Amino acid sequence: REPASFSNTIEAMERTGKLLDRVTTVYGIWSSTMNDDAFQKVEQEMEPKLAAFSDKITQNAALFARIEKVYKDPALKKMTPEQQRLAWKYYTNFVRAGAKLDQKSKDRMSQINQKLAGLFTEFSQNVLFDEMNDFLPLKTEDDMDGLPQSLIDAAKATVAAKDMDAAGAISNTRSSVDPFLTYSNRRDLREKAWKMFISRGDKGGTHDNNKLITEILQLRAERAKLLGFPTHAHWRLENAMAKTPERAMELMEAVWKPAIARVKEEVADMQELADRENAGIKIAPWDYRYYAEKVRKDKFDLDQNEVKQYLQLDKLREGMFWVAGELFGFRFTPVNNVPVYHPDVQVWEVTNLETGAHVGLWYFDAYAREGKRSGAWMNAYRNQERLDANVTTIVSNNSNFVKGKPGEPVLISWDDAETLFHEFGHALHGLSSNITYPSLSGTAVVRDYVEFPSQLLENWLSTPEVLGRFAL
Ligand SMILES: [Zn+2]
């Protein structure tokens, strides 16, 4: 055997597992956006196996010895910054996964990781179960008092799709519950909707997550101890910018008191308004969105519904493309000759505005549907790299907008518009990737840095340049 070198060890590792990468990408799409009963069974079977497979690599003593040799070789200092970073990443990931432990501890680590993989799967499947199976029925038109037409339409469509005996129904997802809490004049139903959403996985019975949480925490604590860390938090932050839980807490504490003070001010404003209206209530969590809206109207004469008609999904998307053109020189052109996994998914080719060179593909899976997890996120289906050949990236944005009637524009709230720009910021991060090695590609940066580009780029939404052109 040749002695370990960067190219026969680190680069060789970068070249392995390409088929598995492709398969797990498809697996990830099913898991997060088309998660039905059949796929849940696949997840339950595969998650522990994938964890065991990963441990088998990081616990391979001969392999780790080679990585360690390359990492500690003084010659590494003469290599490119990217190569040094990559060697550091392999070494650190292996050590963090237990490569330096004795065999007995390695075996226990592997058991813990497989157990955790199963528990995480069970946890998210429980949440999804409650999101898919719980509804707030709206028995009569009275139950829809205050709701904007788009929400009434969606509530009626839900009843039709589920063949339910009610005038309408609110799904147990953020994109349905949040607008209901904002507009419903029915305080009794707001309380029900809020409690339904907040108790996902927390209602006792077979889909309750409380027991799983205890188990997860115990296993994480045990794993941290095995690896020589006082707590899971110490282990988790060691390779992040924050480094220690103390520093992370310092930041949290610095924000905490001013944030609480602000919440108290806002709730006091709400209470004052409720008292003025003789509502006879003490502001509760299910009143926050509703009264925040009223206070805004009262103080600034600003109505979210008035704002919403200016926020059309299609136009905002054009606005994001315009920003990407101005800042990064990207052009987005719709394409329909690439495969998609669901008819809702749309794809754009991204090219360089000046040279016309191909940069990548942008997949957009915009709408809520059964089996898709709540919220919004970005991921890469393929990483940019040029280790052996030039590989361009394929990135995706996923969100849960409620589809309007056919032919009508989809109107979204200001919060949703910010989220849209935020997630697109992650996509731009991925599309701007310019590296040699796949493991360092796109958003594969330290955990507490990855939100920086997206947090920064979301601010373009509120600029006159964007609103003046696209909020019409
Ligand atoms: Zn983010």
Side-chain angles (χ1 to χ4, degrees):
R1 259 193 200 178
E2 289 173 44
S5 70
F6 187 87
S7 80
N8 74 15
T9 304
I10 306 289
E11 283 187 353
M13 287 292 286
E14 286 291 277
R15 289 191 174 96
T16 60
K18 283 194 175 146
L19 181 60
L20 181 67
D21 277 352
R22 289 190 68 162
V23 175
T24 47
T25 296
V26 174
Y27 173 89
I29 293 170
W30 279 88
S31 168
S32 52
T33 77
M34 296 180 293
N35 200 311
D36 58 9
D37 286 348
F39 191 77
Q40 297 210 339
K41 296 214 173 64
V42 176
E43 275 187 311
Q44 286 157 13
E45 187 187 332
M46 285 312 296
E47 283 300 315
K49 282 186 184 168
L50 287 166
F53 175 69
S54 159
D55 281 334
K56 227 174 161 176
I57 298 171
T58 48
Q59 294 189 356
N60 183 318
L63 177 59
F64 177 65
R66 291 176 78 85
I67 290 170
E68 189 170 34
K69 187 178 167 292
V70 175
Y71 176 65
K72 297 202 163 153
D73 187 342
L76 184 66
K77 294 274 174 292
K78 297 199 186 73
M79 302 191 79
T80 69
E82 213 189 302
Q83 288 168 328
Q84 294 182 40
R85 172 89 186 159
L86 188 64
W88 171 85
K89 191 167 179 171
Y90 270 96
Y91 177 78
T92 308
N93 286 350
F94 270 65
V95 172
R96 286 172 56 73
K100 285 182 164 176
L101 299 178
D102 60 30
Q103 195 52 50
K104 198 173 143 246
S105 303
K106 278 182 178 172
D107 292 345
R108 181 60 192 148
M109 270 289 285
S110 188
Q111 278 175 354
I112 292 174
N113 286 336
Q114 288 173 60
K115 192 92 219 302
L116 280 172
L119 289 167
F120 294 148
T121 306
E122 213 183 319
F123 186 99
S124 37
Q125 290 187 355
N126 283 341
V127 173
L128 196 61
F129 181 89
D130 285 350
E131 290 190 352
M132 276 161 51
N133 292 286
D134 290 346
F135 296 91
L136 174 70
L138 306 173
K139 296 201 176 72
T140 61
E141 299 287 325
D142 280 354
D143 288 356
M144 304 190 194
D145 189 26
L147 304 186
Q149 192 57 43
S150 59
L151 195 53
I152 294 176
D153 291 343
K156 287 183 173 167
T158 304
V159 163
K162 292 273 142 193
D163 205 13
M164 292 166 75
D165 183 23
I170 299 299
S171 306
N172 195 14
T173 58
R174 187 179 299 280
S175 43
S176 299
V177 169
D178 277 5
F180 185 80
L181 291 174
T182 309
Y183 297 113
S184 172
N185 289 330
R186 290 284 302 272
R187 188 170 195 245
D188 56 331
L189 296 178
R190 289 204 308 269
E191 180 175 355
K192 279 187 181 161
W194 186 82
K195 286 185 172 162
M196 171 175 80
F197 189 66
I198 220 74
S199 344
R200 291 167 305 152
D202 188 22
K203 300 185 303 182
T206 41
H207 296 281
D208 190 287
N209 276 334
N210 287 293
K211 244 181 62 200
L212 305 188
I213 293 171
T214 313
E215 264 185 89
I216 287 170
L217 292 178
Q218 280 168 347
L219 289 166
R220 280 178 165 177
E222 187 189 342
R223 183 174 63 183
K225 291 262 151 59
L226 271 178
L227 291 165
F229 292 89
T231 69
H232 175 73
H234 288 86
W235 175 74
R236 194 70 186 76
L237 289 169
E238 176 233 15
N239 65 343
M241 292 194 304
K243 299 276 183 243
T244 65
E246 290 74 22
R247 291 193 54 199
M249 281 310 286
E250 230 173 82
L251 179 68
M252 293 285 282
E253 296 284 354
V255 181
W256 189 246
K257 276 186 188 155
I260 294 284
R262 185 75 189 108
V263 169
K264 285 191 174 146
E265 271 174 46
E266 288 180 357
V267 174
D269 281 346
M270 295 176 196
Q271 189 66 56
E272 196 257 335
L273 195 141
D275 293 348
R276 232 193 303 147
E277 291 180 339
N278 293 317
I281 59 159
K282 186 174 184 305
I283 295 291
W286 44 91
D287 298 318
Y288 287 171
R289 284 176 187 276
Y290 181 75
Y291 276 96
E293 198 51 34
K294 284 191 166 222
V295 168
R296 193 179 289 128
K297 180 105 177 113
D298 186 59
K299 275 193 165 174
F300 310 110
D301 196 23
L302 183 68
D303 179 344
Q304 277 271 40
N305 257 339
E306 289 280 321
V307 173
K308 204 171 170 174
Q309 58 183 315
Y310 297 99
L311 301 173
Q312 296 185 18
L313 179 58
D314 287 353
K315 290 202 172 146
L316 289 172
R317 200 190 54 224
E318 293 307 314
M320 303 194 307
F321 292 167
W322 180 79
V323 169
E326 293 289 305
L327 294 177
F328 298 94
F330 291 154
R331 183 203 298 277
F332 286 72
T333 315
V335 287
N336 45 27
N337 58 348
V338 295
V340 293
Y341 54 87
H342 189 278
D344 278 357
V345 179
Q346 293 172 285
V347 189
W348 281 259
E349 185 191 7
V350 187
T351 51
N352 183 303
L353 260 173
E354 275 172 26
T355 65
H358 178 83
V359 173
L361 291 175
W362 182 67
Y363 275 60
F364 189 36
D365 185 356
Y367 302 110
R369 67 173 164 269
E370 212 166 293
K372 188 171 178 181
R373 72 173 162 93
S374 264
W377 65 95
M378 167 270 182
N379 53 17
Y381 297 155
R382 187 173 72 191
N383 287 319
Q384 177 275 330
E385 50 127 335
R386 51 172 169 269
L387 180 54
D388 293 316
N390 206 20
V391 177
T392 52
T393 190
I394 302 174
V395 296
S396 81
N397 276 153
N398 305 268
S399 41
N400 274 284
F401 297 116
V402 179
K403 250 191 212 173
K405 284 183 177 162
E408 279 182 19
V410 176
L411 302 179
I412 66 176
S413 68
W414 181 258
D415 281 357
D416 282 343
E418 274 188 334
T419 305
L420 185 70
F421 270 64
H422 174 94
E423 295 306 330
F424 190 64
H426 286 304
L428 290 173
H429 184 179
L431 288 163
S432 305
S433 179
N434 178 17
I435 53 91
T436 305
Y437 298 101
S439 290
L440 299 175
S441 184
T443 54
V445 293
V446 287
R447 189 67 190 87
D448 49 358
Y449 175 77
V450 77
E451 293 303 319
F452 173 69
S454 50
Q455 299 265 3
L456 184 73
L457 291 166
E458 72 183 44
N459 290 298
W460 290 100
L461 169 65
S462 58
T463 60
E465 287 80 0
V466 169
L467 293 179
R469 284 179 174 85
F470 302 98
L472 320 155

